[in-house]
Amino acid sequence: MEMKLVEEAIKERLQMLRTFTSTPGHGVTRLPFSNEARRAADYLKEEMEKAGLTSVWMDAVGNVRGRLEADEPETQTIMMGSHYDTVKNGGAYDGIAGVVCAIETAKAIKRSGMHRRYALEIIAFNDEEGMMFGSGCLGSKALMGMVDQNDIRRLNDENGISIEEWMHRWGSRPEEIPALALDADQIRAFFEIHIEQGPVLDAGGKEIGIVDCIVGLLRCMVTVRGRADHAGTTPMHMRRDAIGIASKVISRLDQLADSQDNGSVATCGFIRAYPNAMNVIAETCEFTMDLRSREEESIERMMAEAETILKDCCAETGAGYEVDIKLRQKPVAMSRPIMDILCETCRENEYSFQKMISGAAHDSMIFADKTETAMVFVPSREGRSHCPQEYSEYGHLAKAVKIVYETIVKMNQE
């Protein structure tokens, strides 16, 4: 593998893909089922075909997929990929760098002429971020049979448009989703290369991160229902202030996370109030809670304590509240045997590396309970991600391609 050529190919593709954005000059915004997503999907299909992949297609939920068939009949498939959607005003590497690396890995395998015991399928997943509908990992969940018609009718964007309606606009047939489910027994393994999105590797001067666990995640929308009243004439003890109640929960999230004493995190990233006027007590306040931990019990404790605060505040004022769970995912462990091969391959290439936890959710977590799964991280400069300043070195991405390529070669020699 000529590393300089791999690095240049990765750079060329990523620089092209960053132009598929609705916010040029202000980061990359490529939301699922958007015109920008369509342009990126078309480009990725072309690049997969150039890499020698066959049967390149886009499935019903917008995943872009391509295959290299095996040289042996009735064999399993090694799968590799990441996502091509972004957050609003995000970076040019999150998710999409892993897709580009997967294509480059497939190209190297194709050009090597090696005997392929296993088929190889490359996937660019749609809607991993959950930016529009609050859930996330739509594309990977569909392949694991974890999406049903109720999900796509129930989950709406901020304008009340459902996933089902967006799929119709995209030109897809929602009723085809169940047919996308794969037989997990036919999957040999799933690989994902991804930027770290945190500061650990960059601060430690490491070139590669081998993920051993992806944290569990609970993501929900909380709606506090108070009463709109005049801001000047309503005494404080007679108010049902939705924002005031919400703020009491939000301000305690950091304490809830710290009290777990195990690296758990808790975040409010979205707040919306009605009527949202300076001189009116808020009737309604919506906010999100994003709770993450490597221990499921910690997530449940944080959620229970947050609800206790809500119940007490609402009981005291006569307000009410609702909690809509958007995503619930247990912590998942990566494949120990594949981790060992990846570590061995890093040593053989004299790449500095470390095993580490992933604090972010990824498509890999959807596969990990079903098949052997591995994640490889590359450093994010200063740990920045989900912002225009996001950056990872192309050389580090090329090294990630090399170790995954060599690991897949070893697996084909089993």
Side-chain angles (χ1 to χ4, degrees):
M1 179 182 292
E2 178 51 62
M3 292 297 287
K4 190 63 179 176
L5 293 178
V6 173
E7 183 177 338
E8 290 173 356
I10 291 171
K11 178 180 179 180
E12 180 181 347
R13 291 195 186 103
L14 288 177
Q15 288 185 339
M16 174 60 73
L17 283 155
R18 74 191 306 157
T19 67
F20 304 141
T21 174
S22 63
T23 55
H26 300 280
V28 180
T29 303
R30 188 166 51 244
L31 301 182
F33 306 113
S34 65
N35 291 333
E36 296 74 35
R38 174 74 71 181
R39 292 171 61 204
D42 289 342
Y43 175 76
L44 290 170
K45 286 195 290 185
E46 292 174 2
E47 291 302 299
M48 286 184 185
E49 290 169 350
K50 289 179 183 177
L53 291 163
T54 57
S55 304
V56 176
W57 77 104
M58 184 167 63
D59 67 24
V61 292
N63 296 325
V64 181
R65 303 163 66 179
R67 287 179 64 86
L68 283 179
E69 298 300 341
D71 294 317
E72 299 184 14
E74 300 181 4
T75 188
Q76 293 176 299
T77 298
I78 293 174
M79 308 187 83
M80 183 177 180
S82 193
H83 62 97
Y84 69 100
D85 62 305
T86 73
V87 298
K88 294 178 181 179
N89 305 106
Y93 301 84
D94 176 11
I96 194 62
V99 175
V100 167
C101 286
I103 294 173
E104 200 60 26
T105 303
K107 184 171 76 174
I109 290 173
K110 173 73 172 179
R111 292 185 175 181
S112 72
M114 60 176 280
H115 179 82
R116 294 194 295 273
R117 177 179 179 181
Y118 302 110
L120 177 68
E121 183 168 324
I122 303 303
I123 311 175
F125 293 107
N126 188 26
D127 192 22
E128 185 267 359
E129 294 288 0
M131 191 80 254
M132 290 175 65
F133 311 110
S135 57
C137 297
L138 174 66
S140 50
K141 285 180 179 177
L143 297 191
M144 291 292 100
M146 298 167 62
V147 176
D148 61 30
Q149 299 302 312
N150 290 329
D151 292 327
I152 64 169
R153 294 190 189 106
R154 179 180 64 86
L155 296 171
N156 300 326
D157 68 9
E158 61 185 8
N159 298 312
I161 302 173
S162 68
I163 297 176
E164 182 180 52
E165 176 59 26
W166 273 110
M167 288 182 67
H168 282 302
R169 296 182 182 188
W170 182 258
S172 293
R173 297 169 61 88
E175 62 272 20
E176 295 177 355
I177 290 178
L180 296 178
L182 302 173
D183 180 356
D185 290 339
Q186 295 303 309
I187 305 173
R188 172 63 184 88
F190 177 79
F191 288 87
E192 183 172 11
I193 293 173
H194 206 283
I195 64 171
E196 181 197 345
Q197 299 183 276
V200 175
L201 294 175
D202 188 50
K206 303 295 185 182
E207 297 168 300
I208 296 291
I210 307 297
V211 177
D212 61 8
C213 172
I214 299 177
V215 297
L217 166 65
L218 189 152
R219 183 182 292 165
C220 64
M221 177 74 76
V222 179
T223 303
V224 179
R225 302 195 182 280
R227 189 178 70 189
D229 285 303
H230 195 289
T233 62
T234 309
M236 297 301 293
H237 70 282
M238 299 178 69
R239 298 184 178 206
R240 299 180 192 172
D241 185 350
I243 290 179
I245 294 170
S247 68
K248 289 179 172 62
V249 180
I250 295 168
S251 65
R252 288 284 302 280
L253 289 180
D254 57 344
Q255 297 175 41
L256 298 184
D258 287 341
S259 68
Q260 305 307 309
D261 197 28
N262 58 5
S264 298
V265 295
T267 306
C268 171
F270 171 91
I271 304 173
R272 179 166 56 191
Y274 300 94
N276 202 30
M278 185 178 296
N279 60 347
V280 181
I281 297 168
E283 179 176 21
T284 305
C285 184
E286 298 175 328
F287 66 95
T288 56
M289 291 195 298
D290 184 305
L291 312 176
R292 308 188 190 208
S293 179
R294 67 184 306 153
E295 297 179 13
E296 188 175 7
E297 295 79 6
S298 290
I299 296 174
E300 298 304 324
R301 281 196 296 269
M302 289 189 287
M303 186 67 206
E305 291 177 31
E307 284 211 67
T308 296
I309 300 169
L310 279 167
K311 287 177 183 177
D312 290 346
C313 290
C314 287
E316 183 179 329
T317 61
Y321 76 94
E322 301 161 8
V323 177
D324 182 11
I325 304 295
K326 299 292 187 180
L327 178 64
R328 186 190 293 269
Q329 180 67 42
K330 295 181 179 180
V332 292
M334 299 294 99
S335 166
R336 184 67 56 183
I338 298 180
M339 284 176 56
D340 290 343
I341 300 174
L342 287 166
C343 292
E344 175 190 22
T345 307
C346 284
R347 295 187 191 99
E348 291 171 353
N349 286 280
E350 298 183 347
Y351 294 160
S352 59
F353 72 98
Q354 70 179 71
K355 295 179 182 179
M356 62 189 303
I357 191 171
S358 171
H362 299 287
D363 290 300
S364 286
M365 70 185 183
I366 305 302
F367 284 83
D369 282 339
K370 308 288 187 179
T371 189
E372 290 195 75
T373 301
M375 279 204 80
V376 175
F377 277 172
V378 298
S380 295
R381 185 170 62 190
E382 297 181 354
R384 304 295 302 278
S385 185
H386 281 188
C387 60
Q389 293 77 23
E390 179 181 273
Y391 178 76
S392 290
E393 293 183 16
Y394 303 113
H396 286 147
L397 290 166
K399 290 176 180 178
V401 168
K402 184 174 175 60
I403 67 165
V404 172
Y405 163 77
E406 292 182 2
T407 297
I408 292 175
V409 169
K410 292 173 183 177
M411 293 173 68
N412 274 278
Q413 295 171 348
E414 292 173 327

